Amino acid sequence: MRSKHLLVGNWKMNLGPTQARSFAEALLSGIQSVTRTDVWIAPPAISLCHAADVLSGSPIVLGGQNVHWATNGAFTGETSPAFLREAGARFSLVGHSERRIYFGETSDTVAQRTKAALNEGLTPIVCIGETEGERVSGKTERVLEEQLAPVFEQVSNDDSARVVLAYEPVWAIGTGRVASLSEIQSTHAFILALWASRGYQHEGVVLYGGSVNPQNFGSILALKEVDGALVGGASIKLDQWLQLIAIAEHTPLAG
Ligand code: PGA
């Protein structure tokens, strides 16, 4: 449980440098004061510096969509944790299902990326989630456990305070099919129990992701097991993103 809601926008491969700059400017002029909500955004790596030019000094925090485990070297196409930090990032997504599905990332490399982010002082947002087939065949809990086990191996008790988990059912991402409140509640409770069974002193923080929009967000965030949301499509539509921020601001913190 965090002291504020956490709303994270994942721009995915949208908004190149020029558009990122103008979106950031529009966001800054449209945002009201935020007191109950941390607003984080993950632009494409190439747009990060451009968004940072506009947003540095503002309450909006920037991050990467992925991070490599090495500081530098022969890893064509990857982004070093140190480079991310230098560009203005304070967090990074790791293990997004699009990385796992389209680019073959495994839970072991996700764990290495998590550790590297922590070592660089970046907050890792570790994404986990089952496919539709896995849910239908009753394998959700086993899949989540397998995805988290190598990550837990890399996260010390001290570091656990800086880790965020994002539960994103693959079948709900970008599909308009949001998980039901009872599915979200029971799955988050399972993830929190897994976290606690690891013996961490700090409570787990779990975001929900998958087709979050201004119509469904309020009831999702009201669940006490939900600390916030990881949002794709609705984070690059300024009016929807501002509505999501307003909803978080109006949702009591106890959840
Ligand atoms: P969506 O994406 O909100 O467009 O479903 C969420 C995500 O992939 O993080």
Side-chain angles (χ1 to χ4, degrees):
M1 183 62 63
R2 304 178 85 248
S3 58
K4 289 185 183 185
H5 303 302
L6 177 55
L7 190 56
V8 185
N10 172 14
W11 287 2
K12 308 195 179 188
M13 201 170 72
N14 297 294
L15 306 185
T18 309
Q19 285 183 310
R21 190 180 284 276
S22 46
F23 188 96
E25 283 165 357
L27 174 59
L28 211 48
S29 53
I31 200 168
Q32 309 291 324
S33 76
V34 275
T35 54
R36 280 183 179 166
T37 313
D38 287 325
V39 180
W40 296 6
I41 289 174
I46 199 163
S47 301
L48 188 57
C49 287
H50 301 265
D53 276 351
V54 178
L55 296 174
S56 70
S58 83
I60 296 163
V61 171
L62 290 168
Q65 296 179 6
N66 200 9
V67 63
H68 196 258
W69 51 85
T71 306
N72 51 20
F75 300 105
T76 303
E78 290 285 326
T79 307
S80 150
F83 299 172
L84 271 187
R85 220 186 140 75
E86 188 183 335
R90 293 295 170 264
F91 74 93
S92 182
L93 306 183
V94 287
H96 190 280
S97 63
E98 287 150 19
R99 298 298 318 169
R100 295 177 192 258
I101 293 166
Y102 302 132
F103 303 99
E105 288 193 18
T106 65
S107 297
D108 287 324
T109 57
V110 169
Q112 287 185 61
R113 293 174 195 274
T114 303
K115 179 73 178 159
L118 286 165
N119 287 346
E120 190 58 40
L122 299 166
T123 297
I125 301 181
V126 183
C127 306
I128 55 173
E130 81 288 359
T131 63
E132 181 160 32
E134 288 161 347
R135 175 156 287 269
V136 169
S137 55
K139 295 193 188 122
T140 299
E141 295 189 349
R142 203 172 80 207
V143 167
L144 299 176
E145 209 167 344
E146 283 168 5
Q147 289 175 338
L148 280 176
V151 173
F152 284 160
E153 289 302 310
Q154 298 293 335
V155 175
S156 67
N157 191 17
D158 283 349
D159 283 344
S160 67
R162 297 194 291 123
V163 172
V164 173
L165 304 177
Y167 169 57
E168 298 204 299
V170 175
W171 47 272
I173 294 181
T175 59
R177 278 179 61 202
V178 67
S180 71
L181 293 177
S182 69
E183 284 168 335
I184 296 172
Q185 188 162 36
S186 58
T187 311
H188 279 224
F190 173 75
I191 294 166
L192 288 166
L194 270 184
W195 177 274
S197 72
R198 178 75 200 179
Y200 292 133
Q201 272 164 346
H202 304 280
E203 271 184 59
V205 170
V206 189
L207 310 180
Y208 169 78
S211 296
V212 170
N213 62 35
Q215 285 70 49
N216 58 36
F217 183 45
S219 49
I220 294 171
L221 190 62
L223 297 172
K224 72 174 185 337
E225 295 82 0
V226 174
D227 290 288
L230 177 54
V231 183
S235 75
I236 53 169
K237 298 184 188 96
L238 185 62
D239 55 332
Q240 294 196 19
W241 185 237
L242 289 171
Q243 283 179 60
L244 292 175
I245 295 169
I247 291 166
E249 280 297 283
H250 289 108
T251 303
L253 273 161

